[in-house]
Amino acid sequence: DTAVSQTPKYLVTQMGNDKSIKCEQNLGHDTMYWYKQDSKKFLKIMFSYNNKELIINETVPNRFSPKSPDKAHLNLHINSLELGDSAVYFCASSQGPVAPEEQYFGPGTRLTVT
Amino acid sequence: AQSVAQPEDQVNVAEGNPLTVKCTYSVSGNPYLFWYVQYPNRGLQFLLKYITGDNLVKGSYGFEAEFNKSQTSFHLKKPSALVSDSALYFCAVRDRSNQGGKLIFGQGTELSVKP
């Protein structure tokens, strides 16, 4: 039983296209996150949602739009893809945003923009 | 500004020897501290965390970490390394006042354990 799952695992697309990445968690957690890992393996938070409400929005281009239809799902839509968007995108979840609970990560989506 | 530093890009250890992966942080107040491990082509897995109390924290797979407030460090240790411990290790910090659960990660340290 996968705790945090992401689809697709790999995504290859051309510049200018629009694409979405989906994330689902079956842990009953209230909080979900999107992280970006660049080619140097550096990890940075992009967004955080708690009970479907946006609580963290880092300085991410507005071409990136997260959507949380319910607290078990957090999707990431990217418009007008650019070469610099190539990275591995990780979804994560935790019980809540306040308590110091560990975050559970999905397997990642490797996005390649050509 | 909050930051986490892992001064070594790579650590090489012989199997059976002790290992240390270093982490220092800069956060106002008393942070929560975490270690995660990433195996190739996988997501991050939680190893251990420091919240309060005993400075020595024990975690998964025989790992432990020592919180040192005066040196603002949280080094990861294991008494006897295994080849299967080879992976990318991330230290992360979270400001206690942060209400969003935001983790700030170090740049990662590649651990290589040779037989």
Side-chain angles (χ1 to χ4, degrees):
Chain A
D1 239 7
T2 305
V4 182
S5 59
Q6 295 178 229
T7 54
K9 190 169 173 62
Y10 299 97
L11 188 52
V12 182
T13 188
Q14 292 184 328
M15 276 175 27
N17 284 350
D18 304 337
K19 290 293 178 186
S20 291
I21 306 171
K22 296 186 176 183
C23 177
E24 177 181 0
Q25 55 95 2
N26 62 6
L27 298 167
H29 288 167
D30 286 341
T31 309
M32 296 184 72
Y33 311 82
W34 278 112
Y35 288 87
K36 179 180 180 181
Q37 186 174 46
D38 64 22
S39 58
K40 295 186 177 179
K41 306 291 188 184
F42 184 67
L43 269 162
K44 193 170 190 304
I45 191 166
M46 301 172 69
F47 303 103
S48 171
Y49 269 74
N50 185 56
N51 272 325
K52 303 192 295 177
E53 286 193 27
L54 182 67
I55 53 173
I56 292 177
N57 185 349
E58 290 292 289
T59 50
V60 178
N62 57 15
R63 297 182 295 104
F64 290 78
S65 52
K67 281 192 173 54
S68 183
D70 55 61
K71 72 175 191 178
H73 295 85
L74 180 61
N75 304 324
L76 183 65
H77 187 75
I78 316 170
N79 289 325
S80 303
L81 278 155
E82 300 177 357
L83 292 176
D85 298 333
S86 295
V88 181
Y89 292 84
F90 287 102
C91 176
S93 72
S94 67
Q95 285 188 344
V98 177
E101 300 299 330
E102 57 268 31
Q103 296 179 15
Y104 291 77
F105 284 75
T109 296
R110 183 175 295 276
L111 172 65
T112 304
V113 182
T114 61
Chain B
Q2 302 171 4
S3 65
V4 180
Q6 293 178 240
E8 299 154 319
D9 288 338
Q10 179 141 10
V11 170
N12 298 309
V13 177
E15 189 175 30
N17 282 1
L19 69 87
T20 298
V21 183
K22 295 179 181 177
C23 171
T24 59
Y25 63 90
S26 173
V27 174
S28 58
N30 296 317
Y32 301 126
L33 297 157
F34 301 82
W35 276 100
Y36 285 83
V37 60
Q38 184 179 22
Y39 297 100
N41 299 313
R42 303 280 295 275
L44 278 71
Q45 294 178 32
F46 168 76
L47 277 180
L48 50 79
K49 65 183 175 185
Y50 173 80
I51 301 173
T52 188
D54 194 349
N55 289 344
L56 186 64
V57 178
K58 293 191 184 298
S60 307
Y61 312 121
F63 283 94
E64 56 190 29
E66 187 164 12
F67 171 63
N68 187 318
K69 187 174 181 179
S70 62
Q71 296 187 2
T72 61
S73 68
F74 189 55
H75 300 333
L76 181 70
K77 301 181 180 187
K78 188 172 182 181
S80 179
L82 299 172
V83 172
S84 57
D85 292 331
S86 298
L88 183 58
Y89 289 80
F90 289 97
C91 180
V93 64
R94 190 187 136 187
D95 189 336
R96 283 175 193 257
S97 64
N98 178 278
Q99 298 299 300
K102 174 182 174 181
L103 285 176
I104 297 170
F105 285 90
Q107 65 269 43
T109 297
E110 190 81 45
L111 174 66
S112 176
V113 182
K114 297 283 192 242

